Amino acid sequence: MTPNNPADRPFRLSMLIYDRHYRSLLIQAVVFIAVMLVGWWLVNNTLTNLARMGKTLDFGFLWNRAGYDIPFSLIPYSSNDSHLRAAMVGLTNTLLVSALGCVFATVIGVVVGVLRLSGNWLVARLMTIYVETFRNVPLLLWILVILALFTEVMPAPRDYKPAADGTAKASMILFDSVAPTNRYTAIPRLAVDNDPGSVGLGGFQVDAALLAFGVALLAAWCIRRWLRDRAQLLQDTTGRRPATWWITALLFLVPLLVLSWLFQVHLVRPELKGFNFAGGLNLDNGFVVLLLALSLYTGAFIAEIVRAGVMAVSRGQSEAAAALGLRARLIMGLVVLPQALRVIVPPLISQYLNLTKNSSLAIAVGYPDLRATLGGTTLNQTGREMESMIVMMGIYLAISLVISGVMNVYNARVTLKER
Amino acid sequence: MRQIVFLATAAAAALAAGGAMAAEGETLAQVKARGVLNCGVNTGLVGFAAPDANGNWSGFDIAICKAVAAAVLGDASKVKYVPTTGQTRFTALSSGEVDVLARNSTWTFQRDTDLKLDFAGVNYYDGQGFMVRKDLGVSSAKELDGATICIQTGTSTELNLADWFRANNMTYQPVNIDSNAEGEQQYMAGACDAYTTDASGLAATRAAFADPDNHIILPEIISKEPLGPAVRHGDNNWGDIVRWVLYALISGEEYGVTSANIEELSKSSTNPDVQRMLGATDDYGAMLGLDKEWAKRAIAASGNYGEIFAANIGEQTPIGLARGLNALWTQGGLMYAMPFR
């Protein structure tokens, strides 16, 4: 009997080729060394060539003055800030459009995916047309088409200015509160008269009014949870569930109204001042176009994923649920969706990752995302291509890994429990 | 795994091929061996560098490319024009994709030192200006507070703009564009109130409009923009060639050597400067690694500096730029060629 444990057999050199165990070890070792060599050569080649061009790998430029302005920023930024700060502005802009894009794409995808399965012929066909047109045309073309619609069709801000005879070429819509232009859409903004100022929170200045609203909402949500748990407990023991909806409504409404009155919250309408609208909030067209294109494009893919997920749940499941007397809404919520999610979530992760990476097409609409600040203007003005690219790839990698990590945790929660 | 190794190898090969550097005398040898000069130019700026309907490039910067090609290769048509944007131009030069960059590039400290470029000289003294529609009712750049402004990204003008508005306590909304064509389109569509770039570029852009009279260039010039051809650090011989070709063109105007009379002057001129430059007496070409008649061919290619200016951007052209700072030093301008001696 030949011993099965390879350690028991005496080692001969020929075993590297003929023995399966040693052969696989040899192949792994060779491949590992080859990959390492190629990696080393790549790095070495890059550094050598950089040195021959008289350049060194130096990230010090990130702390130099950026000197350029960024049209759209969530965090305070001026041209006196550093390139690192400019990169952070780009990063927050990327995260903003990606996060909103994921939310909108999911909503669109779920609605369209379910509607595509609808018994209504017209609705189902319309959804098919949407999915096929958006899925089969490159995203960049959609971005450019939507951008062209915005810049060519919308009036310029100065078209809102009344001419000598008192008439203007364009007028604001929705009770004179919204002004769509070829640069941005001016919408009203919430403002507080009784401003409580801001409080320092872990190094950041947070608006006190915003903080107060956040705390009130969080408290209301916690109390609501506790109420629901208590109601469930009562139902389980006595069989009677106390009505909680009006308490919930009060919990959310009363603090909001009180705080609004306290801070004198009101709407500020945008007004044409000089060249542009001011006072309200100017939603940049680049941002709107990018968000729209990303959501619609990824939404089409998600719709198909949702459809596949729902169809993967056998028809017998919903029939059995119906036989138990469950209503359609409950069948969907308790029987079909939990099972469909197992199929939906893994491909959904890929779509979220795709959307986030596709947001770098912002360059086409002039939206200052990470690619446009760090990988665009900073790269150009400093001439540090290699360094900018390395930092940018690292950041995109980190974002993707975080998304994928979070979604994997969620996937583990909805996955089939096998005991 | 095999695939990964393959991809890595392919990437490595691509990287190795892209590596380039400039050692003394190497660029000249490369250009001569190739038989063609790779010249980085604007993607399209009428008067400075623009292809016609047949794909033939012409313009003020193109003339520099032609003069260098004529001096080095003996044939002004042996040029491959590589269109570059504000973003790609310096990478194209430092990676060796182009031998010389003649693309309205401003000579700045940081480009000269940190970006490892050498500016061979200045072929156009420019400054940054603003263009607006006439019916906007603006007559000074100081009235542009709150305006939306189109700006080519990756340019020195982008930084000047930020500094100027900051210094004047004014705000603006930048619209970043990639090329002059895109800027033109955005400006025409009204996506920005003003378009800013070098004043010469504004004049050239306006000349290409269907309604040039409806647009004005504001009087303020907010920066110094000395534009000139650039080469890589490290190959001083090549830098000398481009520099002295430019000086030959300027000297040509100063000494009255034109494309029309150059044949005659190279034989009959009694001016020792002209004799030296055109190779009638001394062999200055050998000091550059070129032949005797390099400067003669450079001037013959599209004429001397004055001729090139008049033919492409001068007052007789639609662009209509006055010589101003770009007149010869003898006529109150800044154009001054170092002596051929």
Side-chain angles (χ1 to χ4, degrees):
Chain A
M1 198 183 92
T2 18
N4 272 334
N5 189 349
D8 296 347
R9 281 171 291 178
F11 176 75
R12 293 189 310 273
L13 210 59
S14 63
M15 284 169 89
L16 284 176
I17 305 291
Y18 298 112
D19 187 292
R20 206 166 64 177
H21 176 74
Y22 287 110
R23 187 171 58 209
S24 86
L25 280 183
L26 176 71
I27 292 173
Q28 288 182 47
V30 167
V31 169
F32 178 75
I33 292 171
V35 170
M36 282 297 149
L37 277 176
V38 168
W40 173 83
W41 185 73
L42 270 177
V43 171
N44 188 47
N45 188 305
T46 311
L47 289 179
T48 315
N49 275 326
L50 278 176
R52 283 159 98 176
M53 280 201 275
K55 290 184 172 179
T56 47
L57 214 55
D58 178 10
F59 293 89
F61 72 96
L62 286 171
W63 281 267
N64 293 349
R65 179 179 181 270
Y68 62 94
D69 283 304
I70 302 179
F72 184 92
S73 169
L74 292 177
I75 55 176
Y77 171 84
S78 83
S79 57
N80 272 344
D81 285 318
S82 66
H83 282 295
L84 189 66
R85 183 87 181 176
M88 295 309 293
V89 171
L91 176 61
T92 49
N93 285 345
T94 292
L95 290 177
L96 176 75
V97 78
S98 305
L100 288 177
C102 285
V103 171
F104 288 150
T106 310
V107 171
I108 294 172
V110 169
V111 170
V112 172
V114 170
L115 284 185
R116 225 190 141 179
L117 291 169
S118 148
N120 186 322
W121 186 87
L122 185 63
V123 169
R125 287 303 167 281
L126 277 178
M127 293 306 135
T128 308
I129 292 173
Y130 157 70
V131 168
E132 295 305 339
T133 46
F134 271 89
R135 229 169 34 146
N136 295 313
V137 174
L139 176 56
L140 183 61
L141 293 189
W142 278 118
I143 292 179
L144 293 178
V145 164
I146 300 176
L147 180 69
L149 281 180
F150 270 75
T151 46
E152 303 291 340
V153 175
M154 303 284 189
R158 62 201 188 93
D159 289 341
Y160 286 89
K161 197 181 284 178
D165 56 353
T167 55
K169 278 194 213 157
S171 54
M172 293 165 79
I173 54 173
L174 291 177
F175 309 106
D176 273 357
S177 63
V178 175
T181 75
N182 60 359
R183 296 171 194 171
Y184 46 76
T185 303
I187 58 169
R189 179 174 63 91
L190 281 175
V192 290
D193 265 356
N194 203 357
D195 197 351
S198 56
V199 278
L201 215 66
F204 289 100
Q205 287 295 313
V206 182
D207 191 54
L210 211 63
L211 197 67
F213 276 104
V215 168
L217 282 179
L218 192 70
W221 187 74
C222 288
I223 297 174
R224 182 185 157 267
R225 251 185 99 108
W226 174 76
L227 269 176
R228 203 187 50 191
D229 289 350
R230 207 179 63 115
Q232 189 68 42
L233 196 71
L234 270 175
Q235 186 181 18
D236 288 349
T237 48
T238 66
R240 289 172 58 86
R241 191 184 180 95
T244 58
W245 65 266
W246 59 272
I247 308 179
T248 309
L250 282 182
L251 267 177
F252 282 94
L253 272 179
V254 171
L256 280 191
L257 289 175
V258 169
L259 283 175
S260 299
W261 175 79
L262 202 65
F263 296 137
Q264 299 284 318
V265 176
H266 60 98
L267 273 179
V268 180
R269 282 184 185 177
E271 274 175 60
L272 193 60
K273 285 206 179 105
F275 297 99
N276 285 307
F277 278 92
L281 200 63
N282 291 349
L283 281 181
D284 189 61
N285 271 354
F287 172 70
V288 176
V289 166
L290 185 68
L291 183 58
L292 215 58
L294 283 176
S295 311
L296 287 172
Y297 182 79
T298 314
F301 286 89
I302 295 181
E304 287 299 273
I305 293 171
V306 168
R307 189 168 70 104
V310 172
M311 286 178 79
V313 179
S314 105
R315 201 168 168 72
Q317 297 271 341
S318 39
E319 282 171 359
L324 284 174
L326 290 182
R327 276 170 286 152
R329 200 167 67 90
L330 288 176
I331 294 177
M332 198 44 140
L334 293 176
V335 179
V336 178
L337 223 48
Q339 299 188 72
L341 275 180
R342 284 175 206 147
V343 183
I344 292 173
V345 171
L348 196 60
I349 304 175
S350 306
Q351 290 306 326
Y352 287 171
L353 293 178
N354 275 345
L355 189 144
T356 307
K357 288 178 290 176
N358 284 341
S359 72
S360 59
L361 288 171
I363 194 78
V365 290
Y367 175 68
D369 74 332
L370 186 64
R371 163 73 183 78
T373 56
L374 177 63
T377 313
T378 292
L379 183 153
N380 266 305
Q381 296 293 1
T382 60
R384 300 264 170 207
E385 300 95 354
M386 191 59 83
E387 293 88 340
S388 298
M389 285 297 163
I390 290 174
V391 172
M392 203 162 58
M393 283 166 72
I395 292 176
Y396 273 114
L397 185 67
I399 299 175
S400 294
L401 286 178
V402 167
I403 294 177
S404 139
V406 168
M407 288 303 284
N408 279 333
V409 168
Y410 180 66
N411 189 33
R413 283 182 57 178
V414 296
T415 197
L416 190 62
K417 302 285 185 297
E418 288 178 337
R419 295 186 176 91
Chain B
M1 182 55 78
R2 197 175 293 161
Q3 223 171 0
I4 295 176
V5 173
F6 171 74
L7 285 177
T9 317
L15 208 65
M21 58 274 123
E24 184 73 30
E26 192 188 28
T27 316
L28 178 62
Q30 280 175 353
V31 172
K32 277 184 168 167
R34 204 189 300 128
V36 168
L37 174 79
N38 290 338
C39 199
V41 295
N42 203 308
T43 48
L45 182 62
V46 176
F48 283 87
D52 65 10
N54 301 320
N56 297 320
W57 288 79
S58 65
F60 187 71
D61 282 336
I62 298 297
I64 297 283
C65 301
K66 285 186 172 166
V68 174
V72 174
L73 299 169
D75 185 347
S77 64
K78 292 267 170 60
V79 188
K80 184 183 160 208
Y81 298 103
V82 181
T84 55
T85 65
Q87 294 214 29
T88 59
R89 53 185 167 174
F90 299 127
T91 317
L93 182 60
S94 62
S95 68
E97 195 185 337
V98 300
D99 304 309
V100 57
L101 184 73
R103 191 211 171 276
N104 320 82
S105 299
T106 308
W107 187 349
T108 67
F109 178 86
Q110 189 241 356
R111 287 173 182 171
D112 204 339
T113 56
D114 197 33
L115 287 189
K116 311 283 181 203
L117 305 182
D118 269 346
F119 283 85
V122 176
N123 69 341
Y124 192 94
Y125 287 95
D126 210 343
Q128 183 177 353
F130 296 90
M131 175 166 65
V132 295
R133 285 169 183 280
K134 218 172 233 174
D135 59 9
L136 206 58
V138 171
S139 59
S140 157
K142 293 265 166 94
E143 295 166 30
L144 286 176
D145 195 10
T148 304
I149 296 176
C150 280
I151 173 83
Q152 285 190 54
T153 186
T155 59
S156 54
T157 48
E158 185 178 27
L159 306 181
N160 297 334
L161 180 70
D163 286 348
W164 192 77
F165 269 81
R166 167 174 280 277
N168 285 291
N169 272 326
M170 293 170 20
T171 59
Y172 71 104
Q173 191 71 9
V175 174
N176 289 339
I177 49 161
D178 206 34
S179 67
N180 196 56
E182 193 189 340
E184 217 177 294
Q185 186 234 333
Q186 294 271 9
Y187 172 76
M188 289 306 267
C192 42
D193 298 304
Y195 181 37
T196 181
T197 184
D198 301 335
S200 64
L202 290 178
T205 307
R206 187 174 67 163
F209 284 168
D211 57 339
D213 294 340
N214 291 336
H215 305 267
I216 54 168
I217 295 170
L218 300 176
E220 282 85 355
I221 297 294
I222 66 168
S223 70
K224 290 191 288 188
E225 305 285 342
L227 312 179
V231 297
R232 284 181 291 277
H233 254 189
D235 189 349
N236 291 342
N237 166 251
W238 183 249
D240 287 343
I241 291 175
V242 177
R243 176 175 305 113
W244 285 96
V245 164
L246 179 61
Y247 286 158
L249 298 180
I250 298 170
S251 304
E253 187 184 8
E254 187 178 339
Y255 300 138
V257 182
T258 67
S259 52
N261 65 12
I262 190 164
E263 275 302 330
E264 191 195 326
L265 279 184
S266 65
K267 296 188 193 81
S268 66
S269 175
T270 51
N271 183 334
D273 284 314
V274 175
Q275 286 175 332
R276 271 194 296 275
M277 181 169 80
L278 298 182
T281 49
D282 305 70
D283 185 2
Y284 273 22
M287 301 179 198
L288 284 173
L290 302 175
D291 64 1
K292 243 180 160 180
E293 301 199 310
W294 65 278
K296 188 176 153 191
R297 287 194 306 270
I299 298 175
S302 11
N304 64 35
Y305 182 81
E307 287 179 89
I308 294 171
F309 196 105
N312 293 299
I313 52 179
E315 288 181 295
Q316 304 304 315
T317 66
I319 296 155
L321 292 169
R323 285 295 289 267
L325 287 177
N326 298 295
L328 286 180
W329 63 286
T330 49
Q331 288 155 30
L334 292 174
M335 281 298 157
Y336 184 103
M338 305 309 145
F340 276 83
R341 183 162 288 281

